[in-house]
Amino acid sequence: MRGKNIIIGISGGIAAYKTPQLVRLLKKRGANVKVILTEGGARFVSELALATVSGETVYRSLFPSTDQGNTDFINHISLGEWADAFVIAPATAHTLAKLSAGLCDDMLTTCFITLRPGKPVLLFPSMDGYMFISPSVQRNISTLAAQGCTIITPDKGELASGQSGVGRMPEPESILATLEKSLKRGSEASPLFGKSVVITAGPTREKIDGVRFISNYSSGKMGFAVARSAARRGANVTLIAGPVHLDTPQGVERCNVESASEMYAEAQRFFKSCDIFIGAAAVSDYRPAEPREGKMKKEMEQIELSLVKNIDILAEFGCQKTPEQLAIGFALETQFGLENARIKLTDKNLDLIAFNYFDRQTSGFEVDTNILTLIQRNGITKELPQLTKDAAAEELIETIERLLPGNRH
Ligand code: CTP
């Protein structure tokens, strides 16, 4: 942390009262801290307190007051250039909406736009529990996560409304620890730095005829979250994606495919040279044996579709991999979950499998959260609670880092 330039952005939530303590902790660690305070933020925490603990003028307005001859109106640009990391705590629903839309109507949002690519941006949403799970807040969070921001799920507990739920900003010590980790992640100190990671994601489509296909409900969100997390740690990530409606995560190389055979062909190109292969795609297990040309007419009362098995991409890699390479899979199970996941771990010769609980509301296809249990080859099992897919991906990637040759323990 010593010598690092950190911007702390504070928007208007009650948790803003904790921020002088955060600034103090950062200063004690030797960081240089500059604070940007929004109008709302200033209702909850004093500018003077923040200026005192940071030892710096607090940035409030995009435009300087010219009455004292001050004409410096490009602070937002110099701040963006200066920052090694950008933290917004608390990040209100309003601020998240402005950031995701790219609005620049105050110092905080304008500075956000000027940040240099690759620098960690940590957003700590803090609000009422129902606001946090509202579709608009979740949509904005997804957009910002796709842009490479790290969104830290708020803590659960007592809220300002007197109710209890998810929405509390983590304590300053915890924010500091998260920031320290993410500064390390993007640096050469990260075990994943420079490693080559190949990830399959999304569904595949298997043609029945020229206009119809067999597929599944996979949205690709989990695989894309894993790709984001690996890229943030400095890995060279190749994402082989089935047909999904998701933006390519920053810094990730993407190959779009449609069928399982195409996914396999792409994946094969990287088998030999990658360090880690992660099968997060919901690959169709079967494909029509004889897809028709053009559009089939509905002439018959009943038709039979003959299906043939697709190749298991992950199992292929598991079979071919060297002792230095890691093979990671997911197991989506609706019954005998852990047991089936363990069988897949052995059968496909994997180093780790994430058993994916499935109920369609909290976990599984399309939704934004997931419940995973990480099972290592040596039997070590970690049951994760319900997390956003980004947070679950972080946990998965952290576990994978520990499995890398040289880090195994
Ligand atoms: N997988 C793959 N290629 C396939 C099928 C699955 O790479 N043709 C990978 C998936 O990406 C996932 C893992 O294998 O990481 C397990 O997939 P899952 O659908 O849970 O199980 P299957 O192996 O297909 O077995 P089953 O459908 O019988 O549960």
Side-chain angles (χ1 to χ4, degrees):
M1 197 54 82
R2 184 153 299 281
K4 292 282 183 221
N5 296 334
I6 314 293
I7 295 181
I8 302 290
I10 304 168
S11 59
I14 177 63
Y17 82 89
K18 297 179 184 173
T19 53
Q21 174 66 2
L22 172 63
V23 174
R24 241 184 116 242
L25 289 174
L26 284 164
K27 292 291 289 181
K28 271 194 177 168
R29 293 293 179 100
N32 307 311
V33 185
K34 292 188 196 280
V35 175
I36 304 177
L37 185 61
T38 67
E39 284 310 305
R43 305 256 176 159
F44 292 98
V45 62
S46 121
E47 180 179 344
L48 184 59
L50 291 163
T52 309
V53 286
S54 67
E56 298 265 356
T57 307
V58 171
Y59 294 86
R60 291 281 301 274
S61 172
L62 194 50
F63 303 105
S65 65
T66 47
D67 51 355
Q68 287 159 4
N70 180 3
T71 54
D72 183 4
F73 63 90
I74 54 161
N75 270 333
H76 57 285
I77 298 170
S78 45
L79 276 175
E81 202 173 13
W82 176 83
D84 292 315
F86 189 77
V87 177
I88 303 186
T92 59
H94 187 218
T95 297
L96 294 170
K98 290 201 291 181
L99 297 178
S100 101
L103 294 183
C104 300
D105 65 346
D106 62 11
M107 189 60 162
L108 184 65
T109 48
T110 312
C111 183
F112 173 76
I113 303 279
T114 70
L115 293 169
R116 296 299 179 264
K119 302 286 177 193
V121 177
L122 272 58
L123 307 176
F124 289 85
S126 168
M127 61 197 75
D128 171 70
Y130 284 104
M131 284 174 82
F132 181 68
I133 59 170
S134 76
S136 45
V137 169
Q138 288 300 316
R139 184 196 59 224
N140 293 331
I141 283 178
S142 300
T143 305
L144 290 161
Q147 278 176 229
C149 300
T150 303
I151 321 287
I152 291 81
T153 306
D155 288 347
K156 209 172 179 181
E158 205 179 306
L159 302 171
S161 59
Q163 297 190 346
S164 185
V166 173
R168 282 174 68 85
M169 189 176 88
E171 294 305 317
E173 290 76 7
S174 153
I175 295 179
L176 176 73
T178 310
L179 175 59
E180 272 180 328
K181 257 199 208 169
S182 78
L183 277 166
K184 190 177 149 207
R185 250 178 236 154
S187 74
E188 289 175 30
S190 162
L192 228 57
F193 192 89
K195 294 274 186 268
S196 157
V197 180
V198 176
I199 302 168
T200 63
T204 63
R205 286 179 181 171
E206 311 301 327
K207 273 193 178 158
I208 298 172
D209 67 11
V211 297
R212 302 179 181 92
F213 54 80
I214 297 176
S215 191
N216 56 64
Y217 291 108
S218 169
S219 61
K221 286 178 181 171
M222 192 63 223
F224 274 57
V226 174
R228 257 194 303 280
S229 173
R232 266 200 299 265
R233 290 158 199 256
N236 301 319
V237 181
T238 307
L239 182 59
I240 306 171
V244 294
H245 303 282
L246 297 172
D247 293 335
T248 308
Q250 217 178 43
V252 166
E253 194 73 41
R254 175 174 178 173
C255 313
N256 287 326
V257 295
E258 199 169 297
S259 64
S261 317
E262 285 171 21
M263 190 173 269
Y264 177 59
E266 277 300 316
Q268 248 187 329
R269 298 202 293 125
F270 302 100
F271 273 0
K272 277 213 158 60
S273 59
C274 77
D275 297 296
I276 302 165
F277 185 85
I278 306 177
V283 186
S284 299
D285 290 330
Y286 295 91
R287 67 177 186 280
E290 288 170 17
R292 309 273 178 88
E293 294 289 325
K295 186 182 172 220
M296 261 163 59
K297 299 301 286 176
K298 59 170 189 299
E299 288 155 348
M300 319 267 266
E301 274 315 301
Q302 197 176 333
I303 57 165
E304 275 178 22
L305 201 56
S306 168
L307 303 175
V308 289
K309 213 172 194 174
N310 275 328
I311 195 152
D312 191 316
I313 304 168
L314 181 62
E316 264 315 293
F317 179 77
C319 166
Q320 293 176 22
K321 78 187 180 81
T322 65
E324 283 69 44
Q325 292 178 307
L326 295 179
I328 319 294
F330 280 79
L332 186 80
E333 306 291 344
T334 51
Q335 52 184 342
F336 309 116
L338 279 172
E339 209 177 302
N340 280 335
R342 285 195 181 104
I343 293 171
K344 282 180 190 165
L345 176 84
T346 315
D347 286 356
K348 302 193 190 203
N349 191 30
L350 308 180
D351 298 278
L352 173 80
I353 197 156
F355 158 51
N356 205 151
Y357 175 76
F358 182 80
D359 69 359
R360 302 206 71 170
Q361 270 97 48
T362 59
S363 186
F365 293 148
E366 292 175 314
V367 292
D368 289 314
T369 57
N370 223 353
I371 302 175
L372 301 180
T373 300
L374 309 181
I375 311 164
Q376 295 179 33
R377 199 188 180 87
N378 60 10
I380 295 179
T381 300
K382 185 173 182 188
E383 220 175 296
L384 303 178
Q386 181 186 346
L387 295 171
T388 60
K389 286 187 171 166
D390 275 292
E394 285 288 297
E395 290 275 355
L396 175 68
I397 289 290
E398 265 178 35
T399 308
I400 294 173
E401 279 186 334
R402 287 197 289 276
L403 296 179
L404 281 165
N407 290 305
R408 287 175 191 161
H409 48 80

